[in-house]
Amino acid sequence: MLKFKRLAGLCAVSALCAVSFTVQAQTQADTKPQAMTIVVPYGAGGIVDNTARAFAQKLATELGRPVIVENRGGAGGMIGMNTVARAHDENTLGFTAVSPVTLSPHVMKTLYDPLKDLAPVAAVMYSPVYLVGGPKFTGKDFKAMLDQARADPDGLSLATAGVGSLGHLMLEQINGQAKVRITHVPYKGMAQMVPDALGGQFTLMLVNASAPVNTLIDEGKLKLLAVGSPARLPARPNTPTFAELGYPMANMTSTFGFFAPATTSADFRQRMNAMINKVAAMPDISKPLTEALNIMSPGSVEQFAAQVQREYADNGKIVKAANIRSE
């Protein structure tokens, strides 16, 4: 009987320890910081994805919790931004070119209202847009491109980051004003466009300035024909802007920034804006971007929101005038 009581006592102690361990484990799990997700609405690689990952590393330190990057490409960035719009929490941000918010919804039907379901948080930079010819392009400049397009309708093809992207709008401006028919080749982002250009999958592409693209231009593997920028780039003084070439409506740049679900609090968006601006000013973040000819553009939540509203209205007018539709 004594042995039985001793054994029963040991079992009770063991059970108590097991319950204590379980409660402790649950408490630790409950207090473990939840990861923040940055949704990139394009495929892995490329300027948007690489920049988001650089920011994620720094923001994790600032927030004191993990920050992961999730790629959700397709539909000109709208699939990923729909994920952000439907998140309904303060653990999700989207990092993107503003076109899925200010341009694509004018071209294609969306599952979200860009101005009601998404909230601008912080602009990071704007990037010049290059018109480049790949190995298949035999001309020497923009004029030669148009001459070839007129002589051989449908003979030229041009890749962009997708239907409803900024590149798509720029191409339609060129096609419409020059009265040519350069075939649109939409991608799910810019990462695969560069290797496919080198492989001769298409003739031309509209792509943002980046270190890899700059290197390929310097090596003569890609031919820079024109640039979307307010003025000629100091690092590319011999390359005219689209405005100089007589195509002011195609003279566009890409703005990149962070968005949150509209259900997030104003306080959260202000805190994230301050943190993102702090990270953007760090030399190991800003230096590689500016060396690739991007221009840092920090500012307040209100400034970014006003820019988004303005671009949304302007792009709507351009799309309607050009009669651009989903392909």
Side-chain angles (χ1 to χ4, degrees):
M1 176 66 78
L2 182 61
K3 287 183 180 180
F4 177 78
K5 287 183 178 179
R6 185 176 299 166
L7 180 60
L10 289 172
C11 290
V13 170
S14 297
L16 183 61
C17 289
V19 170
S20 176
F21 177 79
T22 302
V23 171
Q24 184 179 13
Q26 288 175 339
T27 302
Q28 289 176 344
D30 291 342
T31 58
K32 185 178 179 181
Q34 183 174 351
M36 173 173 278
T37 299
I38 298 176
V39 176
V40 172
Y42 308 103
I47 186 173
V48 183
D49 181 59
N50 292 339
T51 303
R53 292 180 188 280
F55 268 83
Q57 187 177 16
K58 299 292 186 182
L59 287 173
T61 301
E62 296 293 322
L63 289 164
R65 58 173 170 149
V67 179
I68 60 175
V69 174
E70 181 179 312
N71 297 93
R72 286 183 172 267
M78 292 196 297
I79 291 174
M81 295 313 291
N82 184 59
T83 300
V84 178
R86 302 303 172 206
H88 300 304
D89 61 38
E90 295 190 346
N91 297 305
T92 304
L93 292 174
F95 180 69
T96 181
V98 298
S99 54
V101 181
T102 65
L103 173 57
S104 302
H106 292 295
V107 179
M108 294 182 290
K109 189 173 182 180
T110 65
L111 296 174
Y112 58 91
D113 185 316
L115 301 184
K116 291 182 179 179
D117 297 333
L118 292 165
V121 174
V124 169
M125 64 187 183
Y126 73 85
S127 177
V129 180
Y130 289 164
L131 172 62
V132 297
K136 285 182 68 176
F137 180 66
T138 57
K140 66 175 183 176
D141 55 21
F142 185 83
K143 181 180 180 301
M145 179 194 77
L146 294 182
D147 289 342
Q148 184 176 340
R150 292 184 180 111
D152 182 16
D154 298 322
L156 294 179
S157 55
L158 185 148
T160 74
V163 174
S165 66
L166 188 74
H168 183 199
L169 184 59
M170 294 170 71
L171 171 60
E172 293 298 338
Q173 293 297 316
I174 295 167
N175 275 343
Q177 186 176 337
K179 294 181 171 48
V180 296
R181 197 165 60 219
I182 299 173
T183 302
H184 183 213
V185 182
Y187 274 69
K188 291 185 177 181
M190 297 182 186
Q192 190 58 39
M193 286 168 54
V194 175
D196 282 2
L198 297 175
Q201 298 299 312
F202 46 79
T203 321
L204 308 148
M205 66 178 172
L206 282 159
V207 64
N208 287 108
S210 68
V213 173
N214 285 327
T215 298
L216 291 168
I217 291 169
D218 292 338
E219 292 175 349
K221 295 177 181 177
L222 294 175
K223 188 176 294 183
L224 183 58
L225 307 178
V227 61
S229 178
R232 290 198 184 199
L233 302 174
R236 305 284 179 196
N238 297 323
T239 303
T241 67
F242 286 99
E244 287 181 84
L245 293 166
Y247 293 80
M249 298 299 287
N251 194 46
M252 299 179 174
T253 61
S254 294
T255 297
F256 297 89
F258 285 90
F259 290 82
T263 53
T264 55
S265 67
D267 178 67
F268 168 77
R269 297 196 293 271
Q270 292 291 348
R271 285 187 286 109
M272 290 308 305
N273 175 273
M275 206 173 292
I276 290 164
N277 285 340
K278 178 181 177 181
V279 170
M282 295 177 180
D284 52 341
I285 294 291
S286 62
K287 187 178 179 182
L289 293 172
T290 55
E291 285 181 344
L293 307 185
N294 299 292
I295 294 89
M296 307 305 289
S297 57
S300 67
V301 172
E302 293 76 18
Q303 287 171 326
F304 189 33
Q307 178 185 349
V308 168
Q309 292 270 359
R310 185 171 59 251
E311 289 195 20
Y312 181 86
D314 291 346
N315 287 337
K317 294 173 184 175
I318 294 171
V319 168
K320 185 176 180 179
N323 195 31
I324 300 172
R325 294 287 182 270
S326 175
E327 297 171 2

